[in-house]
Amino acid sequence: MKNATPAFIAWLSSFAIGLATALVLLAIYFLWPEALSLWVVLTITLITFFITLLVFYIALERFLYRRIKLIYKVIYDTKLPEKEKSGTINLKEDLIGDAEEKVRDWQEVKLQESLRQKKLEQFRKEFLSNVFHELKTPVFNIQGYLETLIEG
């Protein structure tokens, strides 16, 4: 179940719960045949399946939307792309894979920005030290001339 979509997880979970419900109801039917009919077993199983499918689908959609929305807010500095602003997501897509790819792209951009900032900081330090050195030399020369004039 590598890279399963949220829709697949909802279907699979609902199928498992529907199957478990069917097995329990069939056991009751075979132990006490007068308690249930096969139509009741089938109806309850189908209703359980569709209700759990709906609940899981909606819960996964809301849960993933909130989590991925938070990731995109961090990545895009609280500005979501138009696709993510809609409020709904397509659970048949590989949402986690898309978010992971965008996080990697964001990480690469931030790394490049960090390296650029370090280079600019180094340049600034070198520039200021050169400026101070160039200013210091004439000031000391003038100071020396003034001391010479004062001392005669």
Side-chain angles (χ1 to χ4, degrees):
M1 203 165 65
K2 185 177 181 183
N3 296 333
T5 63
F8 178 75
I9 293 171
W11 277 94
L12 188 64
S13 302
S14 298
F15 178 75
I17 290 174
L19 185 63
T21 303
L23 291 175
V24 168
L25 291 174
L26 283 174
I28 293 172
Y29 173 75
F30 286 120
L31 292 175
W32 300 285
E34 66 278 350
L36 296 172
S37 71
L38 281 177
W39 287 108
V40 173
V41 170
L42 181 64
T43 304
I44 292 175
T45 301
L46 288 175
I47 289 173
T48 303
F49 171 77
F50 286 115
I51 287 174
T52 55
L53 178 65
L54 182 68
V55 168
F56 283 148
Y57 199 84
I58 290 171
L60 278 171
E61 182 180 30
R62 289 188 181 175
F63 174 77
L64 289 174
Y65 177 72
R66 277 198 324 253
R67 294 296 175 126
I68 291 176
K69 181 179 170 185
L70 180 64
I71 291 170
Y72 283 135
K73 274 186 171 184
V74 169
I75 290 173
Y76 294 115
D77 295 328
T78 69
K79 295 177 187 170
L80 292 176
E82 289 301 319
K83 179 182 173 188
E84 283 77 23
K85 283 184 182 179
S86 65
T88 60
I89 54 176
N90 185 0
L91 291 181
K92 294 180 181 172
E93 294 177 358
D94 184 18
L95 302 172
I96 305 299
D98 290 344
E100 183 179 354
E101 181 181 326
K102 289 185 181 181
V103 166
R104 285 188 181 140
D105 293 343
W106 174 77
Q107 180 184 17
E108 184 65 30
V109 167
K110 291 299 179 185
L111 180 64
Q112 294 299 326
E113 285 179 9
S114 175
L115 291 174
R116 185 173 160 264
Q117 289 294 334
K118 286 179 182 177
K119 286 180 182 177
L120 287 174
E121 179 69 20
Q122 183 64 29
F123 176 77
R124 184 187 68 82
K125 285 180 181 178
E126 289 176 9
F127 177 77
L128 287 177
S129 68
N130 288 340
V131 166
F132 286 131
H133 176 70
E134 294 299 326
L135 288 176
K136 191 168 37 171
T137 303
V139 167
F140 281 128
N141 285 341
I142 293 172
Q143 185 181 7
Y145 292 142
L146 288 176
E147 286 178 2
T148 304
L149 287 176
I150 290 175
E151 293 177 3

